[in-house]
């Protein structure tokens, strides 16, 4: 397959070039790219595409931070909870969180992605279409999806996350102060069993300079990532459970080599024949035979053929907000232990 080879990325380049908007003409390409960049999180490609098509919004402009006025208000909107917690009306819940934010705090001029993923692009596009706003070519997570708010690449900056409004469609919570860890704790208590949508991080464009810019082109071209193909095989087994508001588990893939991918919502560490070969903050993506990144909220059947890739970005080199330590994950003596206490034995192979 070798889906992310230069041959694939550059094939039919004219059709992969698109105007600076999100529309029915380019939504498939954007969501495919986002499914790869998200590393198992960020929503499911097929579901996100179906939701977009069911509403069929007008094209929405994608703007750089520099295109906005100094007094414009930019926000993020994102879902929070285990990746399995999908609901039929999640777009209406996302839209409600935006409306509540505007009612209580400020009009919104643009949407910065909370992370890169199929759901995030569709949610931002539909919210922008509803308000007559724009989507910003920047994200606060770092060109990927992340397990927790405190793993966002902006964690070490002074950008304000509050005020924010969270809702599950029925109940509502407003948070007006707090660190990433404090906000995370309050929201995780709510989202253990329900999917909640958050609108917040309201800041002028200049304050978003710490966000990573350029997700639009990256979804189409992958020209900023250092890409390594780790291998391929067939899904052998899947073990997942919900713990502390996250999906935790392991995916085993067998081929000429044996792979184990451990996940905490997103894929966080990969082993090949018992040896660790990749870990967060690098993105580990599992691709199906269509070249679509597999969502950990909608894992395939055993036996399906897949490829495994690693994507690395230079801007993550010195960041400490996303690694095994910050995720509360310990790798020791052939065991993976999660912060919740869940433990997995890493399979060992004779060699």
């Amino acid at each position: 397959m070798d889906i992310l080879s230069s041959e694939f990325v550059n094939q039919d380049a004219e059709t992969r070039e698109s105007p600076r908007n999100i529309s029915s003409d380019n939504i498939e390409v954007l969501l495919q790219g986002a499914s790869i960049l998200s590393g198992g999180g960020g929503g499911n490609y097929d579901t996100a595409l179906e939701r977009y098509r069911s509403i069929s919004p007008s094209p929405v402009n994608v703007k750089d931070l520099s295109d906005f006025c100094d007094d414009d208000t930019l926000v993020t909107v994102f879902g929070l909870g285990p990746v399995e917690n999908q609901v039929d009306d999640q777009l209406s819940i996302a839209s409600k969180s935006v409306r509540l934010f505007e009612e209580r705090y400020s009009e919104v001029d643009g949407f910065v992605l909370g992370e890169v993923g199929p759901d995030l692009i569709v949610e931002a596009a539909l919210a922008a279409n509803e308000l007559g706003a724009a989507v910003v070519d920047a994200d606060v997570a770092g060109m990927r999806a992340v397990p927790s708010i405190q793993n966002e690449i902006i964690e070490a900056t002074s950008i304000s996350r509050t005020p924010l409004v969270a809702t599950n469609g029925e109940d509502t919570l407003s948070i007006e102060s707090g660190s990433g860890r404090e906000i995370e704790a309050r929201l995780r208590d709510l989202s253990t069993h329900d999917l909640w949508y958050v609108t917040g991080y309201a800041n002028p464009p200049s304050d978003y300079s710490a966000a990573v810019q350029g997700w639009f082109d990256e979804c189409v071209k992958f020209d900023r990532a250092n890409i390594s193909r780790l291998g391929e095989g067939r899904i052998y087994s899947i073990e997942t459970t919900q713990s502390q508001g996250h999906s935790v588990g392991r995916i085993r893939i067998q081929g000429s080599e044996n792979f184990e991918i451990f996940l905490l919502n997103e894929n966080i560490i990969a082993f090949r024949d018992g040896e660790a070969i990749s870990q967060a903050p690098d993105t580990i993506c599992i691709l199906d035979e269509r070249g679509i990144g597999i969502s950990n909220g909608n894992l395939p059947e055993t036996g399906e053929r897949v490829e495994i890739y690693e994507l690395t970005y230079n801007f993550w080199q010195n960041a400490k907000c996303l690694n095994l330590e910050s995720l509360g994950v310990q790798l020791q003596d052939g065991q993976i232990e999660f912060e919740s206490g869940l433990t997995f034995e890493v399979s060992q192979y004779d060699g």
Side-chain angles (χ1 to χ4, degrees), residues 32-175:
Q32 180 185 22
S35 75
I36 295 168
L37 296 177
S38 59
N44 175 263
Y45 167 88
D46 294 296
T47 304
L49 182 59
E50 180 181 350
R51 286 175 176 145
Y52 183 89
R53 286 175 169 166
S54 71
I55 296 175
S56 190
S58 301
V60 169
N61 288 332
V62 176
K63 295 183 177 182
D64 294 330
L65 286 171
S66 59
D67 294 330
F68 290 88
C69 298
D70 293 342
D71 58 353
D72 282 344
T73 297
L74 307 182
V75 302
T76 69
V77 56
F78 57 92
L80 196 68
V83 289
E84 293 99 332
N85 284 5
Q86 302 294 310
V87 293
D88 291 337
D89 61 343
Q90 68 184 63
L91 291 178
S92 65
I93 299 173
S95 181
K96 182 175 181 179
S97 75
V98 176
R99 292 197 304 273
L100 288 169
F101 182 90
E102 287 208 315
E103 289 171 7
R104 297 184 183 190
Y105 298 111
S106 173
E107 290 188 2
V108 174
D109 299 293
F111 292 90
V112 177
L113 297 191
E115 55 186 14
V116 177
D119 278 356
L120 283 297
I121 290 176
V122 170
E123 289 154 6
L126 296 180
N129 178 69
E130 184 176 325
L131 296 179
V135 176
V136 187
D137 192 12
D139 77 279
V140 299
M143 207 69 81
R144 55 165 298 148
V146 294
S148 299
I149 290 172
Q150 57 199 321
N151 301 132
E152 295 165 338
I153 202 165
I154 63 163
E155 171 69 5
T157 72
S158 60
I159 191 170
S160 174
R161 290 185 170 96
T162 56
L164 59 79
V165 176
T167 181
N168 63 356
E170 297 180 1
D171 302 315
T172 301
L173 171 69
S174 295
I175 300 178

Side-chain angles (χ1 to χ4, degrees), residues 179-198:
S179 66
R181 182 174 293 276
E182 291 166 341
I183 294 169
E184 178 84 27
R186 293 188 67 182
L187 293 176
R188 286 292 171 191
D189 285 343
L190 298 173
S191 61
T192 299
H193 301 293
D194 293 327
L195 181 65
W196 285 65
Y197 268 90
V198 178

